Amino acid sequence: AASSEQMRWLKQWFWKTTFSRRYSAQTDEKMDSDIVLFEQLVAGNPEGLTKYGYSITPTQLINQNFTKSSPIVRGFLLLSAQNHPIDLVNGGFVDLGKALSEFNSKEYHHIFPRAYLKKKDVTQEKINSLCNFCFLTADSNKKISAKSPSEYFTELIPQGQFVKILESNLMPLKKDIYEKNDYDSFLLKRAEAIISFLDKQLV
């Protein structure tokens, strides 16, 4: 069985390779070098990990469409799960087993609702940015519906848990963003928060 230290190294390898699209092409050569790395890790030597790094940027996250076929999207969901997300409306922990095992679209939520953004003439691609999604139960999703963030962030999110809930979903805390329905600022700050949390997995 792997030691706790070896498990930590393997998780670092997973996050680095996931967010660098390492296995998007020419997999045989990469598998061979990764096998060498694993042999080193088994021997207690993590030095080879320094050669690995992620390449994802805020712009790439913003431009990534939320589709289950994308390894970046799947990596994002697994990364988000590490932060124990709390439902925006009911204040309870999200049932990650259900959300992740079924990849059920009803368990994910446009933080800036799709119907609201359509009225603002935002493109479909931008509406469906990976950075505009979080885990959410179907019931809570229905309560939010097409409300603007400036409405539902004050009406529906438990204010006593506001910071805790947003942090658990890797969402920016600056209230101005939501009060002004500033989608562009939200996408950038959310992307930065995601990458900041990714960095924490690599230490």
Side-chain angles (χ1 to χ4, degrees):
S3 68
S4 60
E5 193 170 47
Q6 287 170 327
M7 286 301 298
R8 180 170 62 85
W9 296 336
L10 288 172
K11 287 176 181 177
Q12 289 179 3
W13 169 85
F14 174 80
W15 295 122
K16 287 179 177 182
T17 55
T18 296
F19 285 95
S20 65
R21 302 176 188 268
R22 180 172 172 79
Y23 280 97
S24 60
Q26 299 177 337
T27 59
D28 288 348
E29 182 179 338
K30 291 168 184 172
M31 285 176 66
D32 288 343
S33 63
D34 284 350
I35 289 171
V36 171
L37 170 69
F38 295 156
E39 289 172 344
Q40 292 172 347
L41 297 182
V42 169
N45 178 13
E47 289 180 10
L49 273 174
T50 60
K51 298 176 183 177
Y52 293 72
Y54 72 78
S55 56
I56 202 77
T57 66
T59 299
Q60 288 173 324
L61 284 178
I62 291 169
N63 292 337
Q64 173 63 58
N65 202 258
F66 190 85
T67 172
K68 65 181 180 181
S69 62
S70 166
I72 294 296
V73 171
R74 290 179 177 273
F76 160 72
L77 293 174
L78 292 174
L79 183 69
S80 299
Q82 299 301 300
N83 204 35
H84 310 292
I86 298 171
D87 187 287
L88 294 178
V89 175
N90 68 34
F93 286 107
V94 172
D95 183 347
L96 294 171
K98 180 179 181 182
L100 291 172
S101 65
E102 297 176 7
F103 205 102
N104 187 339
S105 61
K106 293 180 180 179
E107 299 296 319
Y108 306 105
H109 163 64
H110 287 82
I111 298 168
F112 275 63
R114 178 169 46 192
Y116 166 76
L117 290 175
K118 279 186 176 180
K119 290 178 183 177
K120 299 294 182 181
D121 294 323
V122 178
T123 65
Q124 189 67 25
E125 290 75 18
K126 196 170 180 180
I127 290 172
N128 288 328
S129 166
L130 171 153
C131 294
N132 194 30
F133 282 83
C134 71
F135 292 106
L136 194 75
T137 62
D139 286 344
S140 292
N141 210 339
K142 288 177 184 176
K143 289 177 183 176
I144 291 172
S145 185
K147 290 182 175 69
S148 68
S150 61
E151 291 178 273
Y152 85 82
F153 268 68
T154 54
E155 294 174 5
L156 297 177
I157 295 180
Q159 295 303 294
Q161 292 180 270
F162 189 87
V163 171
K164 183 178 180 181
I165 289 172
L166 266 62
E167 284 183 337
S168 77
N169 286 285
L170 303 176
M171 290 165 58
L173 298 180
K174 191 175 181 183
K175 285 192 173 183
D176 276 3
I177 290 174
Y178 310 106
E179 290 170 353
K180 296 177 181 177
N181 298 311
D182 189 345
Y183 189 48
D184 287 331
S185 291
F186 170 78
L187 290 177
L188 178 58
K189 294 299 182 183
R190 181 97 195 283
E192 290 173 350
I194 292 166
I195 290 176
S196 178
F197 186 68
L198 171 60
D199 285 340
K200 291 179 181 178
Q201 312 310 305
L202 304 178
V203 295

